[in-house]
Amino acid sequence: MNLFAGSGLLLAPILVLAMTLAMTLALVSPTGPALAADRNEAFSSRGLGIITCQRYLEEKAGNTESYPFFRSWLNGYLSAYNQFQPETFDISSGAPIEQLIAAVEQICEADPQRPFWAAASRLTRLLYDRRLTIKPELVDLTAGENTVTVTKAQVRRVQQALKDRGYQVGVVDGLYGGNTRRALEAFQQSEALPVTGLPDTATMAKLLQ
């Protein structure tokens, strides 16, 4: 089912609209009321955020044309959270969108009647204590002809995840060395992923799920 069928609008403008609406949604702090609500703590939520979790889960199960727009909406919501929440550079700590949308799906399955925005808000509260509070140092990792740009914190998470799965990475220090590269290659081969030896998006999504 296409949520935008018959709207007379092109999908690209709809995506821009969804992202814009996400940026203006009220954001819920970990311990208090909505930051952008009125004096009575009420606010208007528009766009995909007002759709129930049940409807979202149905769109996902049917792999409809509309399903990818929920991922974009969530990205916009989290970007807005990062912008307006004090002492927050990245609420997700660089987690891949695949991991984040999977977490939202679990929240939705627990309470299908809640609106999608409320599931996204719940996700921010779960992530809050592990958020990045300042802009991290970025590092370029190169193996052969391939290069990825990540943070040292992401490398540490990858190393720890590999270690938890039984791969030999040595010290979990956020440094990309031979042990980490070989462990990544072994993991990628076991998961039928392109063997780059690098923590690329597809590898992190699979490893950190």
Side-chain angles (χ1 to χ4, degrees), residues 74-142:
L74 180 62
N75 264 330
Y77 184 93
L78 296 178
S79 294
Y81 189 98
N82 292 340
Q83 181 178 357
F84 296 111
Q85 179 67 33
E87 298 183 7
T88 301
F89 175 79
D90 185 0
I91 184 64
S92 72
S93 299
I97 185 60
E98 290 82 4
Q99 182 182 5
L100 299 171
I101 198 69
V104 170
E105 287 165 9
Q106 291 181 347
I107 295 169
C108 280
E109 288 169 352
D111 185 2
Q113 297 310 309
R114 78 168 79 202
F116 190 72
W117 74 260
S121 177
R122 172 64 176 161
L123 176 65
T124 63
R125 293 195 293 275
L126 294 173
L127 295 173
Y128 187 79
D129 288 341
R130 296 178 59 187
R131 76 196 190 283
L132 295 178
T133 58
I134 59 174
K135 184 176 181 179
E137 177 185 355
L138 296 177
V139 292
D140 292 330
L141 307 183
T142 300

Side-chain angles (χ1 to χ4, degrees), residues 22 27 64 74 86 89 105 136 151 196:
L27 303 177
T64 67
L74 180 62
F89 175 79
E105 287 165 9
T151 68
T196 65

Side-chain angles (χ1 to χ4, degrees), residues 57-77:
L57 293 172
E58 291 171 357
E59 296 291 327
K60 175 182 181 294
N63 194 27
T64 67
E65 295 179 4
S66 303
Y67 172 63
F69 288 93
F70 286 93
R71 294 159 53 96
S72 297
W73 190 96
L74 180 62
N75 264 330
Y77 184 93

